[in-house]
Every structure is written in C-alpha cells, then in structure tokens.
Amino acid sequence: MKPRPLLLQAVTTTDRHLAVAATNDSLLTCGGWVVDSHFFSNKAATIRLVIPADRLPDWLDQLGQIGLKLDSIDPPPQADGEISISLSITFIHDEPDLARDIPAVPG
C-alpha cells in the first residue's frame, strides 16, 4: 500500500512569485522535485513534491528562511528513500483577487 503524503500548511507575507520560486529552488537544492502544482488566484497554492527523506529537515529549515511559516505539520514519517509531500501555501496580502480572462467557447 502506498503511504499517504505528508501534509504541510504554510502562510507567508512574502510576494507569491518570490515565495514559490524560492520554495522550488530550495527543493531542488535538497534533491527533490515538483510533481504537480495548482494556484488559486493570488490567494493560495498547493504544490505536490517528492524529497529524499534524509533531506526533509534541511528543506523545512529553508522554508522558514524563505518566510514561510508552517501552520501545521503532520509528524514527519520515519522513512527511508523518498517522501511525498503536499504543501499548501496561503499568501497574506491586500491585493485584489487576481482576475483571469476566460476565453468564450463557441456553441
């Protein structure tokens, strides 16, 4: 049976573009990679990723240095090999909701 991913939730006042880029850079530095990502306007993002288990503590420290405050964290699994993670980031700012043009579909 495949283990469920480690669930992390974070909030930040850092610009969303900088926060996501820095999160990705720190992940790559630790030998991990992004599997999938979803952005919810300019309010939140969910990033699914994989990281070597022995590099998880280093990566979590780097998230704090980036300005991501972990709100909640599942207990880190005692695992060898790789860990799947789902990271949800909420961006705290006073910008208006990001509007996107949706093309009309004929018919």
Side-chain angles (χ1 to χ4, degrees), residues 2-8 48-49 74 77 83-86:
K2 185 177 179 181
R4 70 179 184 86
L6 176 64
L7 304 176
L8 302 176
R48 290 188 317 123
L49 55 104
D74 280 351
I83 297 175
S84 295
I85 299 173
S86 179

Side-chain angles (χ1 to χ4, degrees), residues 34-81:
V34 172
V35 174
D36 190 19
S37 62
H38 294 279
F39 294 86
F40 304 96
S41 185
N42 59 354
K43 305 292 183 190
T46 298
I47 304 169
R48 290 188 317 123
L49 55 104
V50 176
I51 190 167
D54 62 340
R55 298 301 306 270
L56 179 62
D58 294 335
W59 184 66
L60 293 175
D61 287 342
Q62 289 181 30
L63 290 183
Q65 295 172 14
I66 293 166
L68 272 69
K69 179 183 173 202
L70 290 173
D71 257 359
S72 63
I73 180 171
D74 280 351
Q78 299 298 321
D80 293 328

Side-chain angles (χ1 to χ4, degrees), residues 14-42:
T14 304
D15 175 79
R16 69 184 182 281
H17 300 291
L18 296 175
V20 170
T23 299
N24 184 58
D25 291 346
S26 68
L27 178 64
L28 294 175
T29 299
C30 289
W33 63 93
V34 172
V35 174
D36 190 19
S37 62
H38 294 279
F39 294 86
F40 304 96
S41 185
N42 59 354

